[in-house]
Amino acid sequence: MKSIMRRPAFAFYVGVLIITVPFFTLFILLNGPDLSEERILNQKVVELYARLKHAEMLNLERRSDIFHLRQHFGTLLNAATKLDNVNSSIRSGISNLLKDSQQLLAGIQGGVDLQLPSIHHFLPHLLSSPDSLSPSIKLSRGRSGVTMVLGIPTVKREVQSYLMSTLQNLIENMSPEERNDAVIIVFIAETDSEYVTRQAADIENQFQDHINSGLLEVIAPPSTYYPDFDKLRQTLGDPLERVKWRTKQNLDFSYLMMYAQPKGTFYVQLEDDILSKPGYIETMKKFAYKQISEKKDWIILDFCQLGFIGKMFKCVDLSKLITFFIIFHNDKPVDWLLDHVVQTKVCRFDKDPKDCKKRKDQVWLHFKPSLFQHVGTHSSLKGKVQKLKDKQFGKLSLHHPHKNPDADVKTTLKAYKGYTAVRAYKGDTFFWSLLPQPGDILAFHFHNPIIIERSGNVEHPEDKFFNTSVEVLPVSYSEDQIYPKTKDGFLVVGQFKESTGVAEGNVSSTVGYVKVMRLYVHSESDRWAILSEIHIQPAENKMGIFGR
């Protein structure tokens, strides 16, 4: 029986999460189908309470804005009434306007003799430009009122960028409902306009649907937001380059938090080189509402044991953090400052460190197992290599076995140890190849349509297929063929993208019946390559490579 497929679809996913995790058992125990109506109602009340606190924060900010407007407006009008060259009728009109405005704004907040410090007291260079806090680039549909806001700062990395794989992973591990109740903000923390524009365009091209839906936003700061880094004080005995790096990180986190604060109830700080577990949004929400329902006065909910990854805050608390980070932006790293904030709030000077730790543990709550894992090895600090792994994240399932029908698997790629294509096809393991060379192929001669679920692996996110085309061999050729044809008769229906290592798309019906599908390597690679799943389905099902 010949292999038959009219309109196959394909998508090769690289470096995305493939995992079986034990936390689902906990999720069922805590929030399974035995939920009573009373518990459901209680959870709704907790959610409304959290949203109310967020609304109160926004209301307070608007009152503050009006108060400052009243100050400036009153000063302006008072000055205008004293101008000598203004005739009496205009002066009278200004006086009436001043009186009306004072009545309109009266009672909002009395007294103008005192003035609280603002961001300009600690970053005075911002006064040199009126647009120093306005994003230089902004891709946004203005989504707000969500439960979860995820902030991802990213910078130009000299060796390896993980951003696209991180975004793909975060979005894939959300349900449709979670995507409607969240915002992911990518903060491109660079001032090179050419790089920022190119990076924003790459994100927009890869995730256009999610930008259009409002799930994904991209912003970048103006160059005037940053001070002259060459004039920073050298603190903690660090070299100037390290002081610049950690100072900029403090300012980056502050900018991102300021932008994110009005958009949702909770804010989670992430990084651009991480993996997440499926259902992480719902898990975080449940854990947060549980603490609120139990009347725990938490400051931080921690979903990863490393650095600043996976730290959740109430958006109403971000103003305190932002202020602290900005005041001490030149003094210490941001994760140290975060610890100082908590310590200042709860620890006593007349008690020992053990007492302080106990108090901190009451407001800085850790969720286990961790929901996020760090995968990057090259830091944004030049020359720094960090192989940090969160042991609480658990072991990852590196492949999904599938029962596939009989077929011939042919490849010129050299397998590493026992990670062969044939064993991967049988579902025994994943396929792990040594350095791909130009002309290498991995071909599947099948009787039933074949699905290769993913290229790449979470434990080895850099081992991907690059400059590799997806090709099919049809039973016959139609006259209106739209695809390029190779010398040996294959049609090139797709290509791996260099930025993400992903190839996806649909094969036109003009291709007709397909009997062979292959991956063809066009150039030498300096990295190995992995296929985590090979899955064949019956002919009546759609052929493709799908993310889970």
Side-chain angles (χ1 to χ4, degrees), residues 265-327:
T265 307
F266 304 115
Y267 174 79
V268 182
Q269 185 79 23
L270 299 174
E271 291 186 6
D272 64 353
D273 54 355
I274 63 166
L275 294 171
S276 64
K277 286 182 177 176
Y280 66 96
I281 290 286
E282 187 66 18
T283 303
M284 291 191 296
K285 284 169 59 175
K286 297 288 187 183
F287 189 65
Y289 289 140
K290 183 175 184 291
Q291 312 314 312
I292 296 174
S293 66
E294 294 176 357
K295 296 183 170 54
K296 291 183 180 178
D297 190 21
W298 58 273
I299 300 174
I300 303 170
L301 298 184
D302 203 337
F303 297 94
C304 180
Q305 309 302 309
L306 301 176
F308 221 113
I309 301 173
K311 305 298 182 280
M312 178 194 282
F313 311 93
K314 306 181 191 83
C315 282
V316 297
D317 290 340
L318 288 182
S319 294
K320 302 169 189 174
L321 295 178
I322 294 165
T323 302
F324 202 88
F325 295 162
I326 288 177
I327 292 174

Side-chain angles (χ1 to χ4, degrees), residues 5 24-25 34 41 46 98 100 132 191 193 197 204 207 289 308 344 349 351 369 378 393 404 452 488 497:
M5 189 59 212
F24 280 113
T25 304
D34 61 331
L41 180 60
V46 171
L98 174 60
D100 292 341
S132 56
T191 56
S193 59
T197 301
E204 187 173 21
F207 300 100
Y289 289 140
F308 221 113
T344 300
F349 280 113
K351 296 289 186 180
H378 303 285
F393 189 74
N404 294 316
I452 306 172
D488 56 353
K497 295 181 180 178

Side-chain angles (χ1 to χ4, degrees), residues 75-276:
T75 301
L76 179 64
L77 290 176
N78 278 320
T81 59
K82 297 175 182 177
L83 294 177
D84 294 332
N85 59 346
V86 177
N87 62 44
S88 58
S89 61
I90 295 178
R91 187 180 291 109
S92 175
I94 292 175
S95 178
N96 291 333
L97 179 60
L98 174 60
K99 188 180 300 183
D100 292 341
S101 65
Q102 287 176 334
Q103 290 176 353
L104 177 66
L105 298 172
I108 294 176
Q109 190 165 347
V112 294
D113 295 330
L114 301 179
Q115 184 172 348
L116 291 172
S118 69
I119 189 175
H120 299 100
H121 288 81
F122 310 106
L123 300 173
H125 67 279
L126 295 178
L127 292 170
S128 62
S129 173
D131 299 323
S132 56
L133 292 176
S134 300
S136 61
I137 280 185
K138 181 179 176 182
L139 302 178
S140 170
R141 293 293 181 268
R143 179 182 285 190
S144 61
V146 300
T147 299
M148 205 68 65
V149 183
L150 310 178
I152 304 176
T154 185
V155 295
K156 186 177 182 179
R157 296 177 183 265
E158 294 186 0
V159 180
Q160 173 91 21
S161 174
Y162 309 88
L163 176 63
M164 296 300 189
S165 295
T166 294
L167 292 176
Q168 186 87 32
N169 173 260
L170 289 172
I171 293 172
E172 278 193 349
N173 285 334
M174 291 183 186
S175 68
E177 294 75 21
E178 290 167 349
R179 293 177 187 178
N180 290 329
D181 193 29
V183 173
I184 302 173
I185 304 169
V186 177
F187 176 65
I188 306 174
E190 296 288 353
T191 56
D192 180 346
S193 59
E194 183 178 343
Y195 171 79
V196 170
T197 301
R198 185 171 64 252
Q199 182 70 68
D202 287 345
I203 297 172
E204 187 173 21
N205 291 336
Q206 181 68 26
F207 300 100
Q208 182 69 63
D209 291 343
H210 300 300
I211 289 177
N212 290 340
S213 72
L215 170 62
L216 184 60
E217 299 192 10
V218 181
I219 60 171
S223 59
T224 53
Y225 170 66
Y226 297 107
D228 185 345
F229 288 113
D230 290 326
K231 295 182 179 179
L232 294 173
R233 291 177 292 106
Q234 284 188 246
T235 55
L236 302 181
D238 284 338
L240 182 58
E241 283 305 309
R242 188 173 184 87
V243 174
K244 290 180 181 180
W245 174 74
R246 54 178 168 80
T247 296
K248 181 177 178 298
Q249 189 176 56
N250 285 330
L251 297 176
D252 291 343
F253 282 27
S254 298
Y255 193 103
L256 180 53
M257 288 179 175
M258 284 189 284
Y259 181 83
Q261 185 175 31
K263 291 185 170 291
T265 307
F266 304 115
Y267 174 79
V268 182
Q269 185 79 23
L270 299 174
E271 291 186 6
D272 64 353
D273 54 355
I274 63 166
L275 294 171
S276 64

Side-chain angles (χ1 to χ4, degrees), residues 59-74 101 104-109:
N59 182 52
L60 185 62
E61 287 185 349
R62 299 294 80 79
R63 290 181 62 190
S64 176
D65 292 342
I66 296 174
F67 169 66
H68 290 299
L69 176 63
R70 176 176 178 266
Q71 281 185 293
H72 296 305
F73 192 47
S101 65
L104 177 66
L105 298 172
I108 294 176
Q109 190 165 347

Side-chain angles (χ1 to χ4, degrees), residues 281-428:
I281 290 286
E282 187 66 18
T283 303
M284 291 191 296
K285 284 169 59 175
K286 297 288 187 183
F287 189 65
Y289 289 140
K290 183 175 184 291
Q291 312 314 312
I292 296 174
S293 66
E294 294 176 357
K295 296 183 170 54
K296 291 183 180 178
D297 190 21
W298 58 273
I299 300 174
I300 303 170
L301 298 184
D302 203 337
F303 297 94
C304 180
Q305 309 302 309
L306 301 176
F308 221 113
I309 301 173
K311 305 298 182 280
M312 178 194 282
F313 311 93
K314 306 181 191 83
C315 282
V316 297
D317 290 340
L318 288 182
S319 294
K320 302 169 189 174
L321 295 178
I322 294 165
T323 302
F324 202 88
F325 295 162
I326 288 177
I327 292 174
F328 300 105
H329 67 277
N330 192 177
D331 299 299
K332 290 188 177 182
V334 69
D335 50 339
W336 292 13
L337 293 179
L338 178 62
D339 190 79
H340 286 325
V341 170
V342 179
Q343 184 172 318
T344 300
K345 286 182 70 71
V346 302
C347 291
R348 298 171 56 110
F349 280 113
D350 58 346
K351 296 289 186 180
D352 59 17
K354 190 176 295 186
D355 180 78
C356 180
K357 183 181 184 307
K358 181 179 178 182
R359 292 174 182 272
K360 286 165 64 175
D361 288 343
Q362 292 174 348
V363 295
W364 189 327
L365 307 179
H366 296 267
F367 179 88
K368 296 179 183 180
S370 298
L371 298 182
F372 304 98
Q373 177 66 286
H374 181 259
V375 296
T377 56
H378 303 285
S379 170
S380 57
L381 178 60
K382 185 176 181 180
K384 182 181 179 183
V385 177
Q386 50 187 15
K387 297 183 179 181
L388 301 175
K389 296 293 181 183
D390 186 346
K391 296 179 180 179
Q392 293 291 340
F393 189 74
K395 291 293 292 181
L396 301 175
S397 175
L398 302 184
H399 82 290
H400 284 292
H402 296 283
K403 185 180 170 107
N404 294 316
D406 294 336
D408 294 326
V409 180
K410 299 180 180 180
T411 182
T412 59
L413 291 161
K414 296 179 180 178
Y416 172 65
K417 293 186 177 180
Y419 302 105
T420 65
V422 173
R423 290 191 66 216
Y425 184 79
K426 293 179 179 178
D428 295 337

